[in-house]
Amino acid sequence: MLIDTHAHIDMQNYLQNFDEVLSAAKLNSVEKIIIPGVEPSGYERIIELVEKYDELYGALGVHPGDSNTFNDETVSKLLKFGLNKKIVAIGEIGLDYYWDKSFVNLQKEVFTKQIEIAKELKKPVIIHDRDAHFDSFQILKSTGASEVGVVMHCFSGAVEFAKRCIDEGFYIALGGVVTFKNAKKIKEVAKYVPLDRLLLETDSPYLTPEPYRGKENRPAYVKYVAMEIANLKDVPFELVAQKTTENAVRVFNLDKVENG
Ligand code: NI
Protein backbone atom coordinates (compact mmCIF):
# COMPACT_ATOMS: atom_id res chain seq x y z
CA MET A 1 0.00 0.00 0.00
CA LEU A 2 1.13 3.53 -0.87
CA ILE A 3 -0.08 6.96 0.24
CA ASP A 4 0.23 10.06 -1.93
CA THR A 5 0.49 12.74 0.76
CA HIS A 6 0.21 15.69 -1.64
CA ALA A 7 -1.87 15.78 -4.82
CA HIS A 8 -3.84 18.77 -6.13
CA ILE A 9 -6.52 16.58 -7.70
CA ASP A 10 -9.19 19.11 -6.83
CA MET A 11 -8.00 21.01 -9.92
CA GLN A 12 -10.35 21.23 -12.88
CA ASN A 13 -8.30 19.01 -15.20
CA TYR A 14 -8.84 16.02 -12.88
CA LEU A 15 -12.51 16.55 -12.13
CA GLN A 16 -13.53 15.66 -15.67
CA ASN A 17 -12.26 12.08 -15.31
CA PHE A 18 -12.04 11.88 -11.55
CA ASP A 19 -13.14 8.26 -11.15
CA GLU A 20 -10.52 7.13 -13.67
CA VAL A 21 -7.79 9.03 -11.78
CA LEU A 22 -8.87 7.33 -8.53
CA SER A 23 -9.15 3.86 -10.04
CA ALA A 24 -5.69 4.19 -11.67
CA ALA A 25 -4.35 5.10 -8.23
CA LYS A 26 -6.03 2.06 -6.68
CA LEU A 27 -4.69 -0.24 -9.42
CA ASN A 28 -1.21 0.95 -8.43
CA SER A 29 -1.80 0.30 -4.70
CA VAL A 30 -2.25 3.98 -3.85
CA GLU A 31 -4.86 3.51 -1.13
CA LYS A 32 -5.00 7.02 0.31
CA ILE A 33 -4.48 10.49 -1.16
CA ILE A 34 -4.23 13.83 0.63
CA ILE A 35 -5.44 16.95 -1.22
CA PRO A 36 -3.76 20.12 0.09
CA GLY A 37 -5.59 23.43 -0.01
CA VAL A 38 -4.02 26.61 -1.32
CA GLU A 39 -6.78 29.22 -1.09
CA PRO A 40 -10.15 29.63 0.68
CA SER A 41 -12.26 29.59 -2.49
CA GLY A 42 -11.23 25.95 -2.95
CA TYR A 43 -12.06 24.66 0.54
CA GLU A 44 -15.70 23.70 -0.14
CA ARG A 45 -14.67 21.57 -3.10
CA ILE A 46 -12.02 19.78 -1.05
CA ILE A 47 -14.56 19.08 1.73
CA GLU A 48 -17.04 17.79 -0.84
CA LEU A 49 -14.46 15.41 -2.35
CA VAL A 50 -13.13 14.03 0.94
CA GLU A 51 -16.66 13.44 2.22
CA LYS A 52 -17.63 11.61 -0.96
CA TYR A 53 -14.58 9.32 -1.28
CA ASP A 54 -13.25 7.22 1.61
CA GLU A 55 -9.70 7.17 0.22
CA LEU A 56 -9.40 10.97 0.07
CA TYR A 57 -8.28 13.28 2.86
CA GLY A 58 -7.75 17.01 2.79
CA ALA A 59 -5.66 19.85 4.17
CA LEU A 60 -6.53 23.54 4.24
CA GLY A 61 -4.20 26.48 4.02
CA VAL A 62 -3.21 29.66 2.25
CA HIS A 63 -0.19 29.32 -0.02
CA PRO A 64 2.58 31.87 0.74
CA GLY A 65 2.14 33.36 -2.73
CA ASP A 66 -1.41 34.35 -1.73
CA SER A 67 -0.47 35.83 1.66
CA ASN A 68 -1.93 39.22 0.67
CA THR A 69 -5.43 37.68 0.56
CA PHE A 70 -5.25 36.37 4.14
CA ASN A 71 -7.74 38.09 6.48
CA ASP A 72 -10.06 37.48 9.45
CA GLU A 73 -12.55 35.70 7.24
CA THR A 74 -9.79 33.26 6.21
CA VAL A 75 -9.07 32.56 9.86
CA SER A 76 -12.76 31.78 10.55
CA LYS A 77 -12.93 29.50 7.50
CA LEU A 78 -9.82 27.58 8.53
CA LEU A 79 -11.10 27.17 12.08
CA LYS A 80 -14.56 26.09 10.91
CA PHE A 81 -13.67 23.71 8.04
CA GLY A 82 -10.58 22.53 9.91
CA LEU A 83 -12.84 20.77 12.41
CA ASN A 84 -13.89 18.27 9.74
CA LYS A 85 -12.43 14.85 10.61
CA LYS A 86 -11.22 14.23 7.08
CA ILE A 87 -9.24 17.47 7.10
CA VAL A 88 -6.03 16.03 8.46
CA ALA A 89 -3.64 19.00 8.26
CA ILE A 90 -3.17 22.72 7.75
CA GLY A 91 -1.34 23.30 4.48
CA GLU A 92 0.15 24.02 2.29
CA ILE A 93 1.58 26.96 4.16
CA GLY A 94 5.06 28.41 4.38
CA LEU A 95 7.44 30.79 2.65
CA ASP A 96 8.30 31.25 -1.01
CA TYR A 97 11.12 33.65 -1.82
CA TYR A 98 11.52 32.37 -5.37
CA TRP A 99 8.76 34.31 -7.09
CA ASP A 100 8.50 37.49 -5.09
CA LYS A 101 10.65 38.66 -2.21
CA SER A 102 8.85 41.98 -1.81
CA PHE A 103 6.41 40.77 0.82
CA VAL A 104 8.58 38.58 3.00
CA ASN A 105 7.32 40.06 6.26
CA LEU A 106 3.69 39.50 5.32
CA GLN A 107 4.48 35.89 4.33
CA LYS A 108 6.12 35.29 7.71
CA GLU A 109 3.15 36.79 9.56
CA VAL A 110 0.59 34.70 7.63
CA PHE A 111 2.70 31.56 8.02
CA THR A 112 2.95 32.08 11.79
CA LYS A 113 -0.80 32.71 12.13
CA GLN A 114 -1.59 29.48 10.27
CA ILE A 115 0.75 27.47 12.50
CA GLU A 116 -1.19 28.87 15.47
CA ILE A 117 -4.44 27.71 13.88
CA ALA A 118 -2.95 24.23 13.34
CA LYS A 119 -1.97 24.10 17.00
CA GLU A 120 -5.46 25.15 18.04
CA LEU A 121 -6.96 22.41 15.83
CA LYS A 122 -4.23 19.96 16.91
CA LYS A 123 -3.47 19.08 13.28
CA PRO A 124 -0.05 18.84 11.60
CA VAL A 125 1.30 21.37 9.10
CA ILE A 126 2.32 20.77 5.47
CA ILE A 127 5.13 23.16 4.61
CA HIS A 128 5.89 24.82 1.28
CA ASP A 129 9.47 26.13 1.54
CA ARG A 130 11.03 27.50 -1.60
CA ASP A 131 14.35 29.31 -1.32
CA ALA A 132 13.45 30.09 2.30
CA HIS A 133 14.98 27.23 4.31
CA PHE A 134 16.48 29.37 7.07
CA ASP A 135 13.38 31.48 7.79
CA SER A 136 10.97 28.53 7.47
CA PHE A 137 13.02 26.53 9.93
CA GLN A 138 13.27 29.44 12.39
CA ILE A 139 9.51 30.01 12.39
CA LEU A 140 8.70 26.30 12.73
CA LYS A 141 11.11 26.04 15.63
CA SER A 142 10.07 29.21 17.47
CA THR A 143 6.36 28.38 17.20
CA GLY A 144 6.89 24.82 18.46
CA ALA A 145 5.15 23.44 15.35
CA SER A 146 6.63 19.98 15.89
CA GLU A 147 4.09 19.52 18.73
CA VAL A 148 1.44 18.95 16.06
CA GLY A 149 3.73 17.45 13.39
CA VAL A 150 5.63 19.04 10.52
CA VAL A 151 5.80 17.76 6.94
CA MET A 152 8.40 19.38 4.70
CA HIS A 153 6.58 19.09 1.36
CA CYS A 154 8.66 18.86 -1.84
CA PHE A 155 11.83 18.99 0.23
CA SER A 156 14.45 20.94 -1.72
CA GLY A 157 17.29 21.41 0.76
CA ALA A 158 20.59 19.58 0.98
CA VAL A 159 21.52 16.77 3.39
CA GLU A 160 22.66 19.28 6.03
CA PHE A 161 19.22 20.93 6.13
CA ALA A 162 17.51 17.53 6.13
CA LYS A 163 19.54 16.64 9.19
CA ARG A 164 18.41 19.78 11.03
CA CYS A 165 14.78 19.06 10.13
CA ILE A 166 15.03 15.46 11.31
CA ASP A 167 16.63 16.57 14.56
CA GLU A 168 13.54 18.75 15.14
CA GLY A 169 11.23 15.79 14.49
CA PHE A 170 10.02 16.92 11.05
CA TYR A 171 9.06 14.54 8.23
CA ILE A 172 10.63 14.85 4.78
CA ALA A 173 8.28 14.42 1.80
CA LEU A 174 9.84 13.52 -1.55
CA GLY A 175 8.20 13.51 -4.96
CA GLY A 176 9.00 13.16 -8.64
CA VAL A 177 12.17 15.27 -8.47
CA VAL A 178 13.99 12.33 -6.85
CA THR A 179 13.58 10.40 -10.14
CA PHE A 180 15.21 13.15 -12.26
CA LYS A 181 18.68 12.26 -13.52
CA ASN A 182 20.19 15.64 -12.64
CA ALA A 183 18.67 15.84 -9.12
CA LYS A 184 21.87 14.83 -7.32
CA LYS A 185 21.09 16.82 -4.18
CA ILE A 186 17.66 15.25 -3.64
CA LYS A 187 18.99 11.77 -4.41
CA GLU A 188 21.53 12.31 -1.62
CA VAL A 189 18.72 13.42 0.69
CA ALA A 190 16.72 10.27 -0.16
CA LYS A 191 19.72 8.11 0.73
CA TYR A 192 20.29 10.00 3.95
CA VAL A 193 16.82 10.39 5.49
CA PRO A 194 15.87 7.41 7.71
CA LEU A 195 12.91 5.40 6.44
CA ASP A 196 10.86 6.28 9.50
CA ARG A 197 10.92 9.99 8.50
CA LEU A 198 10.13 9.78 4.81
CA LEU A 199 6.82 10.49 3.09
CA LEU A 200 5.83 10.01 -0.55
CA GLU A 201 3.98 12.54 -2.68
CA THR A 202 3.37 13.46 -6.30
CA ASP A 203 2.42 17.16 -6.03
CA SER A 204 0.13 16.40 -9.00
CA PRO A 205 -0.21 17.95 -11.54
CA TYR A 206 3.37 19.21 -11.21
CA LEU A 207 6.79 17.49 -11.11
CA THR A 208 5.82 14.26 -12.86
CA PRO A 209 8.33 11.49 -12.13
CA GLU A 210 10.27 9.53 -14.73
CA PRO A 211 9.34 7.74 -16.95
CA TYR A 212 6.44 10.18 -17.48
CA ARG A 213 8.35 13.42 -16.92
CA GLY A 214 6.79 16.23 -19.01
CA LYS A 215 3.30 14.70 -18.94
CA GLU A 216 0.54 15.51 -16.45
CA ASN A 217 1.17 13.95 -13.06
CA ARG A 218 -1.31 11.76 -11.13
CA PRO A 219 -1.37 9.92 -7.78
CA ALA A 220 -0.82 6.52 -9.47
CA TYR A 221 2.72 7.67 -10.31
CA VAL A 222 3.76 7.87 -6.66
CA LYS A 223 4.97 4.30 -7.10
CA TYR A 224 7.84 5.58 -9.29
CA VAL A 225 8.93 7.83 -6.44
CA ALA A 226 8.89 4.83 -4.07
CA MET A 227 10.79 2.70 -6.62
CA GLU A 228 13.55 5.27 -6.97
CA ILE A 229 13.89 5.70 -3.19
CA ALA A 230 14.11 1.90 -2.81
CA ASN A 231 16.75 1.85 -5.52
CA LEU A 232 18.79 4.66 -3.94
CA LYS A 233 18.59 3.15 -0.46
CA ASP A 234 19.14 -0.36 -1.81
CA VAL A 235 16.16 -1.73 0.12
CA PRO A 236 13.05 -3.58 -1.13
CA PHE A 237 10.23 -1.51 -2.64
CA GLU A 238 7.80 -3.15 -0.17
CA LEU A 239 9.81 -1.79 2.76
CA VAL A 240 9.67 1.78 1.40
CA ALA A 241 5.92 1.37 0.81
CA GLN A 242 5.31 -0.01 4.29
CA LYS A 243 7.43 2.54 6.19
CA THR A 244 6.21 5.62 4.31
CA THR A 245 2.61 4.47 4.78
CA GLU A 246 3.14 3.99 8.51
CA ASN A 247 4.71 7.45 8.71
CA ALA A 248 1.80 9.10 6.88
CA VAL A 249 -0.74 7.32 9.11
CA ARG A 250 1.22 8.48 12.18
CA VAL A 251 1.80 12.14 11.31
CA PHE A 252 -1.68 12.73 9.82
CA ASN A 253 -3.45 10.54 12.45
CA LEU A 254 -5.23 8.70 9.63
CA ASP A 255 -6.18 5.77 11.86
CA LYS A 256 -8.28 8.13 14.00
CA VAL A 257 -10.35 9.34 11.07
CA GLU A 258 -13.75 7.68 10.84
CA ASN A 259 -14.73 7.04 7.27
CA GLY A 260 -18.19 6.86 5.77
NI1 NI B 1 1.48 21.60 -3.64
Side-chain angles (χ1 to χ4, degrees):
M1 167 174 168
L2 297 163
I3 298 181
D4 183 355
T5 62
H6 199 111
H8 298 280
I9 53 171
D10 55 324
M11 285 170 70
Q12 201 58 47
N13 39 327
Y14 295 107
L15 298 176
Q16 288 143 10
N17 57 342
F18 202 69
D19 288 320
E20 195 272 318
V21 170
L22 292 188
S23 62
K26 207 155 261 176
L27 276 172
N28 287 280
S29 306
V30 184
E31 301 274 341
K32 295 177 196 293
I33 300 164
I34 298 174
I35 307 174
V38 291
E39 46 138 4
S41 67
Y43 296 167
E44 271 107 340
R45 177 181 286 162
I46 291 177
I47 300 270
E48 198 182 300
L49 292 171
V50 301
E51 287 189 336
K52 184 166 175 197
Y53 299 93
D54 281 355
E55 67 267 46
L56 300 184
Y57 300 82
L60 304 176
V62 173
H63 191 279
D66 291 325
S67 297
N68 55 354
T69 68
F70 193 91
N71 56 29
D72 289 346
E73 202 190 322
T74 319
V75 175
S76 334
K77 272 196 169 183
L78 287 170
L79 288 170
K80 182 179 115 191
F81 293 129
L83 290 173
N84 189 299
K85 281 200 167 167
K86 291 202 77 187
I87 296 302
V88 295
I90 293 299
E92 53 187 288
I93 61 174
L95 301 173
D96 191 324
Y97 297 171
Y98 179 78
W99 293 107
D100 187 355
K101 269 188 125 168
S102 67
F103 62 124
V104 163
N105 286 333
L106 179 64
Q107 285 193 44
K108 287 184 182 174
E109 193 187 310
V110 168
F111 182 28
T112 305
K113 276 190 189 151
Q114 292 188 93
I115 295 171
E116 282 161 10
I117 290 169
K119 288 174 77 178
E120 198 169 324
L121 292 166
K122 297 193 171 64
K123 297 198 177 179
V125 285
I126 299 171
I127 306 304
H128 172 106
D129 155 27
R130 190 155 189 207
D131 290 353
H133 303 326
F134 181 81
D135 287 355
S136 299
F137 185 83
Q138 284 299 113
I139 290 175
L140 287 165
K141 200 171 167 172
S142 67
T143 52
S146 57
E147 278 171 38
V148 284
V150 175
V151 172
M152 301 300 282
H153 147 64
C154 196
F155 187 84
S156 58
V159 164
E160 182 52 36
F161 185 54
K163 182 181 186 311
R164 295 185 68 192
C165 290
I166 288 163
D167 289 346
E168 286 302 311
F170 304 169
Y171 288 81
I172 308 289
L174 297 179
V177 175
V178 78
T179 69
F180 300 171
K181 263 201 185 99
N182 55 352
K184 286 208 178 86
K185 189 172 74 172
I186 296 307
K187 287 185 193 290
E188 287 305 314
V189 167
K191 282 188 212 170
Y192 171 77
V193 177
L195 270 176
D196 64 356
R197 287 306 181 78
L198 271 179
L199 297 171
L200 305 176
E201 61 175 29
T202 57
D203 203 13
S204 296
Y206 316 106
L207 300 168
T208 311
E210 295 288 3
Y212 294 108
R213 190 175 181 181
K215 303 219 173 86
E216 184 180 85
N217 206 353
R218 44 170 44 202
Y221 296 164
V222 82
K223 77 169 176 197
Y224 297 108
V225 176
M227 280 163 65
E228 179 61 12
I229 292 173
N231 178 39
L232 290 164
K233 285 187 157 326
D234 198 18
V235 297
F237 171 85
E238 291 73 21
L239 185 67
V240 173
Q242 181 205 328
K243 289 291 180 183
T244 54
T245 294
E246 284 171 12
N247 299 340
V249 169
R250 187 186 319 120
V251 68
F252 293 113
N253 296 299
L254 299 181
D255 51 349
K256 293 188 188 111
V257 179
E258 291 161 8
N259 278 328

